Amino acid sequence: MKKLKNSPFLVLIILIVSLIVLNSCGGVPEEKGSGSTTEKNVFSVNEVLEMVSKENDVTRTLYTKAIVGKGKLQGMKFDEDWRKDDVEAGPLPALFLRGVATSIRKGPVPLGLYLGSDFPINNANKFEGEQESLFEDIKVTQEPKYFYDESQELYTAMFADLASAQACVTCHNDHPQTAKTDWKLGDVMGATTWQYPKDSLTYSGAVEVLNAYAQGTVDIYVEYLDEIAAFKSSEKPIIGDKWPAEGNYLPSPEVFLDSVRKLSSYDTMKTLIASN
């Protein structure tokens, strides 16, 4: 399957920004010098990382509940080894996020993303140092933490990652490598960490960050559907405009991203407009 370079979600964000620019008393603020026009930074890095974090929350919750949770009821399988040739399954929610992060890392936008915890299944995801200390506060308050990581020279934001679906709780409690077996719905299981090298961004820079995340989502979802197409012994769900709640179906990438857009674009639009 081809990448959805012009998915409904991406087009919506671009249209929102275009409308803001065209209706903002002369357009984007400019700095004139040496005959060139420079777009001013209008968003703090924290604002942009909060926007992309909200998009991620909506996407992951939709995938976890509507794809993994409902899909399992239809007999669909999800496995941490889903990419192996002999495993006919889709990615678990944490691996879906990892796939998004991998896609972003391969692109031109310097946006970092990873998921950490104090009780991770994979020890490589265990928080250390300053992040470990900040995560202790996040577990209590569920409020984000923003700081500058001196060692990496990156502005960093940590957001609470909650056990929002029973599928998450069951998987982590039952996993053979789990360090904690009493997770329950609503627990702070970890924190999603975002990083960016600059302290502020222009409108177009903010849109690039949002687009990078949206494209990463498309990439991993398309990879999942490509995996399904290669199934040899498992029943293949029908790909189209229906969801697992209706039977052995999966939404197309366009339908999946359109649902994300409907759930998340309003908050994003408000933030974009408020800074104008």
Side-chain angles (χ1 to χ4, degrees):
M1 293 188 179
K2 295 181 180 180
K3 289 185 177 181
L4 300 182
K5 294 295 185 183
N6 293 307
S7 73
F9 174 73
L10 302 184
V11 172
L12 175 74
I13 294 299
I14 292 170
L15 286 175
I16 289 170
V17 176
S18 297
L19 287 172
I20 293 170
V21 171
L22 291 174
N23 292 284
S24 61
C25 299
V28 174
E30 298 176 350
E31 291 178 347
K32 295 183 179 180
S34 303
S36 64
T37 299
T38 303
E39 186 181 356
K40 284 185 177 180
N41 290 348
V42 291
F43 293 106
S44 71
V45 66
N46 292 349
E47 289 176 310
V48 175
L49 295 182
E50 184 177 358
M51 275 194 285
V52 75
S53 176
K54 288 180 178 178
E55 301 288 348
N56 178 60
D57 286 345
V58 169
T59 304
R60 285 190 65 206
T61 299
L62 185 67
Y63 180 78
T64 301
K65 292 183 176 181
I67 301 295
V68 178
K70 297 296 184 182
K72 284 184 175 182
L73 297 178
Q74 300 295 340
M76 299 179 197
K77 296 179 181 179
F78 299 86
D79 195 281
E80 60 188 320
D81 294 321
W82 69 284
R83 283 194 172 99
K84 292 185 177 179
D85 292 339
D86 59 342
V87 177
E88 298 188 346
L92 293 164
L95 299 182
F96 186 88
L97 181 67
R98 186 183 299 174
V100 174
T102 299
S103 174
I104 294 173
R105 190 164 56 247
K106 292 178 180 178
V109 178
L111 176 67
L113 165 63
Y114 62 92
L115 181 63
S117 176
D118 52 353
F119 291 105
I121 289 177
N122 185 337
N123 281 332
N125 298 327
K126 187 176 177 62
F127 284 132
E128 297 179 348
E130 184 175 10
Q131 290 197 28
E132 182 180 14
S133 176
L134 292 173
F135 182 59
E136 290 301 316
D137 287 338
I138 291 174
K139 286 196 296 183
V140 175
T141 66
Q142 297 189 19
E143 294 295 323
K145 294 289 185 179
Y146 304 95
F147 65 100
Y148 182 70
D149 189 326
E150 296 281 356
S151 63
Q152 301 184 71
E153 298 184 338
L154 292 170
Y155 293 90
T156 305
M158 298 172 64
F159 299 89
D161 187 67
L162 305 180
S164 59
Q166 188 58 45
C168 299
V169 174
T170 302
C171 178
H172 279 258
N173 283 341
D174 296 344
H175 196 283
Q177 292 178 272
T178 189
K180 181 176 169 66
T181 59
D182 58 349
W183 294 109
K184 57 185 181 298
L185 281 173
D187 281 351
V188 179
M189 302 187 79
T192 305
T193 301
W194 302 84
Q195 295 182 310
Y196 195 78
K198 298 180 181 179
D199 65 354
S200 57
L201 294 87
T202 62
Y203 278 115
S204 58
V207 172
E208 285 178 353
V209 167
L210 292 166
N211 283 352
Y213 173 75
Q215 187 61 58
T217 299
V218 173
D219 288 345
I220 186 62
Y221 190 70
V222 168
E223 186 178 352
Y224 170 34
L225 297 188
D226 287 345
E227 190 78 10
I228 289 173
F231 283 1
K232 296 179 180 179
S233 58
S234 301
E235 184 180 1
K236 300 178 183 180
I238 298 171
I239 313 300
D241 59 358
K242 295 183 179 180
W243 294 72
E246 302 175 76
N248 192 32
Y249 304 104
L250 280 173
S252 66
E254 294 90 345
V255 172
F256 182 78
L257 264 293
D258 186 57
S259 294
V260 172
R261 174 188 62 80
K262 290 175 180 176
L263 291 169
S264 65
S265 60
Y266 179 66
D267 283 340
T268 300
M269 180 177 65
K270 284 197 302 183
T271 303
L272 290 170
I273 292 175
S275 292
N276 187 53

